[in-house]
Amino acid sequence: MPDSPSAIAFRKLRKSYGPLEVLKGLSGEIFAGEVVAIIGASGCGKSTLLRCFNRLETINDGELIVNGMDLSKPDLSRKQLQRLRAQVGMVFQQFNLFPHITVLENLTLAPQKVLGKGKAESRELASHFLAKVGLVEKGHAYPDQLSGGQKQRVAIARALCMEPDIILFDEPTSALDPELVGEVLEVMKQLAEEGMTMAIVTHEMQFARDVANRVIFLNQGLVEEDGKAYDVITAPQSDRLKAFLSRMKLAGVA
């Protein structure tokens, strides 16, 4: 994808929480239309990096350009942040659906409040994307009436209702029972095939190998390996990545 324009570019990016430096000057790029899986052991900085991409976390130093917007600046206006989050969707580990309103209302809220769309247009968008994730019949259900897999598919539909250029996924299957993981990954695979730009923090190594274009392996706040997904997963170069994949039982999978 190097011939495509850059969707996300970060150079010498640093992020600390008090004395704890989580991101230690890492650099990389994600191109438009590319699916990049970000992998690594717990605590290596994966989720922190992802949250920097839509300014849920502010960086301490370095350069970060997302969809043409410079997030290195400390003083972005509310309007700029609103535009950023309309362009860069986020799907969280714990769904983050509002429990007191219906699925349809969860999906129409942001298009109306943030994008200024009318009620009818917002409902049409919501119905379209609920159909896309296979849940059109659940529009009038409440989140607590859904399975974990259904909740996550609704969360993906909610992100799609903003018609974003980029979607960030923060371990979207880690809170699910194993039998529900497949239905969420299938929706993500469909989005990848349609050319959606995606950055995915995941422990699903087979999915990363088979669906992502590229894999970035983080280790202790730095990029340890970055390359074609199949090559990184099946033929790791660094000892740290070999050990990580061995623990995940996927090293050398053909």
Side-chain angles (χ1 to χ4, degrees), residues 94-114 122-123 125-127 129-130 138-146 150-151 153-162:
Q94 296 292 345
F95 325 129
N96 288 9
L97 300 174
F98 293 112
H100 62 288
I101 59 176
T102 67
V103 164
L104 204 59
E105 289 168 331
N106 265 280
L107 268 60
T108 57
L109 193 61
Q112 290 180 65
K113 298 289 187 183
V114 179
S122 297
R123 287 177 69 89
L125 263 180
S127 295
F129 287 116
L130 278 177
K138 297 294 185 181
H140 297 291
Y142 287 84
D144 65 1
Q145 296 173 315
L146 306 178
Q150 289 172 335
K151 288 177 186 175
R153 285 151 63 195
V154 167
I156 294 171
R158 179 181 57 185
L160 290 170
C161 281
M162 296 296 285

Side-chain angles (χ1 to χ4, degrees), residues 131-201:
K132 191 177 189 68
V133 301
L135 291 173
V136 71
E137 76 285 358
K138 297 294 185 181
H140 297 291
Y142 287 84
D144 65 1
Q145 296 173 315
L146 306 178
S147 69
Q150 289 172 335
K151 288 177 186 175
Q152 196 59 290
R153 285 151 63 195
V154 167
I156 294 171
R158 179 181 57 185
L160 290 170
C161 281
M162 296 296 285
E163 300 181 288
D165 298 315
I166 302 165
I167 300 184
L168 312 174
F169 293 85
D170 190 5
E171 300 196 35
T173 60
S174 63
L176 302 180
D177 293 332
E179 65 270 19
L180 301 177
V181 168
E183 64 189 57
V184 174
L185 294 182
E186 188 57 38
V187 171
M188 294 170 65
K189 182 179 179 182
Q190 181 185 347
L191 292 176
E193 290 169 351
E194 292 171 358
M196 174 62 73
T197 306
M198 298 193 286
I200 307 166
V201 169

